[in-house]
Amino acid sequence: AASELTDDTLTRLIAELACAGVIIGGTLRPAVAEAVGPELARLVERVDLRDPSHLREGRPRLLHSIDIRRAAFAQFAPRDQWNMIGAALGVDVHATPTVSVLLASNRPDRVVEAVDRVVNQRGVDVQLIVGLHGSQMPAHLDAAIAEHANGVDVVVRRLDDALNLGDVLNDLTSCADGDLVSKWDDDDWYEPHHLSDLARALDFSGAVLVGKAAEFVYLEALDITIRRFAAAAERLSVTLAGGTLLLTRDDLVAVGWAPVAKQVDRQLIDTLQDRGLPTYRTHGFGYVLHRQGSSLAQHTWQAGDGYFLRQSSEQRAGLDLAFAGFETEPPS
């Protein structure tokens, strides 16, 4: 029983369980509440062990598990511990992950919205590398990107129509300064914890590459948000959405993007698998894949709406970001 454990032992136990996403509940002793930090203590004490019915459902339980894990990592993960020690000593340790985001786009109407979503990311230091791909990208976009960057380090590359997507991504990768690199799609939705969750997963999974599956999909032509593949997260997997991939810059440079127009994400994953390097799927919340109508010409992933509907386990009317675990709606 918890009452028989010392404060130090109980604190360590709560930290270990919470970092694994285990649901913990009950009233904490004052010394333990102080040791685990205010956010983790709040989440633990929010669970009423006399009436845990709201945590028996799959989705609320998963969302609470994600919240409790984020709070535990923020208090106890090595990077965060170094930052707290540095702050206490007045030294700038700065162990926050640095992530170079590769945003390649040939759709001028999508670029600025995508920049806003990158800038809104929390818990990481972002470098944004934008590839404006094609002659149809207007001249004013450079200034618009700089205006919306909000102090984030931004590199803008203008790339010729003749280059395929793999060539574009290799060009953007050559500009990356971050320790980590993540691919970003210009028309999908990303919750502000997206990159920090991926960086955590890379730390604890032991995998070379991490990502999320396209678990939540907005089908624009039907105006519905669906959920699929809900039971296969937090494990080694090759079922990853291309717009969510994250790995170290060194590992990406060693492999490179295949010089092809389509399926560059799939080829990267397959190459890692062929080399015996594991890939990991973390939870799917906080990311929504956008399928823009029935025209497959708009997508490098050639799959119609019927493909997604056949896999759907849940559906919601309209674009339902709360259904996908977004705390607040990001810029639309």
Side-chain angles (χ1 to χ4, degrees):
S3 60
E4 299 174 358
L5 301 177
T6 67
D7 290 344
D8 286 345
T9 300
L10 184 56
T11 298
R12 286 196 298 271
L13 180 60
I14 290 173
E16 291 171 0
L17 293 174
C19 284
V22 175
I23 304 297
I24 310 165
T27 301
L28 299 178
R29 299 195 293 264
V32 175
E34 181 180 2
V36 301
E39 179 62 11
L40 182 53
R42 182 187 70 83
L43 291 168
V44 170
E45 295 186 336
R46 192 174 76 181
V47 179
D48 185 352
L49 295 179
R50 297 166 299 178
D51 182 25
S53 57
H54 67 293
L55 293 177
R56 291 199 188 108
E57 301 176 36
R59 185 175 167 279
R61 183 181 181 87
L62 285 171
L63 288 172
H64 187 72
S65 172
I66 292 167
D67 286 343
I68 208 168
R69 188 167 66 179
R70 284 174 182 158
F73 282 143
Q75 188 71 14
F76 297 107
R79 289 181 186 269
D80 302 85
Q81 286 281 301
W82 280 114
N83 281 332
M84 286 189 286
I85 291 169
L89 296 175
V91 178
D92 184 14
V93 175
H94 207 69
T96 304
T98 57
V99 184
S100 294
V101 174
L102 310 183
L103 171 61
S105 179
N106 60 6
R107 292 178 280 208
D109 58 324
R110 297 286 177 179
V111 173
V112 173
E113 295 176 3
V115 169
D116 287 336
R117 293 182 182 121
V118 175
V119 168
N120 283 338
Q121 292 296 296
R122 304 174 192 162
V124 294
D125 288 338
V126 171
Q127 177 196 31
L128 173 58
I129 308 172
V130 183
L132 301 179
H133 185 197
S135 57
Q136 78 280 10
M137 305 301 278
H140 70 79
L141 279 178
D142 299 66
I145 291 168
E147 180 182 352
H148 284 254
N150 196 29
V152 167
D153 178 22
V154 176
V155 176
V156 179
R157 299 279 294 164
R158 286 191 169 268
L159 298 156
D160 192 85
D161 298 87
L163 295 177
N164 60 48
L165 180 56
D167 291 333
V168 168
L169 290 172
N170 280 320
D171 182 284
L172 302 187
T173 301
S174 71
C175 301
D177 292 330
D179 295 327
L180 309 177
V181 178
S182 188
K183 182 172 174 289
W184 198 277
D185 283 351
D186 60 8
D187 57 342
D188 296 341
W189 288 271
Y190 298 82
E191 197 264 347
H193 292 102
H194 172 75
L195 287 177
S196 59
D197 282 351
L198 291 178
R200 301 285 193 197
L202 193 67
D203 283 342
F204 70 69
S205 67
V208 169
L209 177 146
V210 299
K212 298 179 179 181
E215 184 173 328
F216 296 92
V217 183
Y218 174 62
L219 303 176
E220 184 178 282
L222 302 176
D223 193 26
I224 59 173
T225 305
I226 68 166
R227 187 182 184 196
R228 62 197 194 117
F229 305 148
E234 306 301 351
R235 64 187 67 181
L236 295 178
S237 174
V238 297
T239 306
L240 305 173
T244 72
L245 305 184
L246 179 139
L247 68 170
T248 70
R249 183 186 64 222
D250 290 344
D251 284 334
L252 178 56
V253 169
V255 176
W257 301 95
V260 294
K262 296 179 180 180
Q263 295 190 324
V264 290
D265 319 305
R266 181 76 266 153
Q267 293 208 32
L268 176 62
I269 294 168
D270 288 346
T271 299
L272 293 173
Q273 291 293 304
D274 290 344
R275 298 184 183 187
L277 301 173
T279 57
Y280 185 85
R281 172 183 167 184
T282 191
H283 69 84
F285 289 94
Y287 169 71
V288 177
L289 176 72
H290 185 188
R291 298 298 295 188
Q292 299 176 54
S294 57
S295 174
L296 297 183
Q298 300 180 71
H299 302 286
T300 56
W301 181 7
Q302 299 291 287
D305 287 351
Y307 170 85
F308 294 99
L309 285 173
R310 286 191 295 273
Q311 299 170 336
S312 171
S313 58
E314 296 179 77
Q315 299 181 11
R316 298 288 190 276
L319 172 61
D320 193 337
L321 295 176
F323 174 50
F326 285 66
E327 292 180 358
T328 56
E329 184 171 333
S332 61

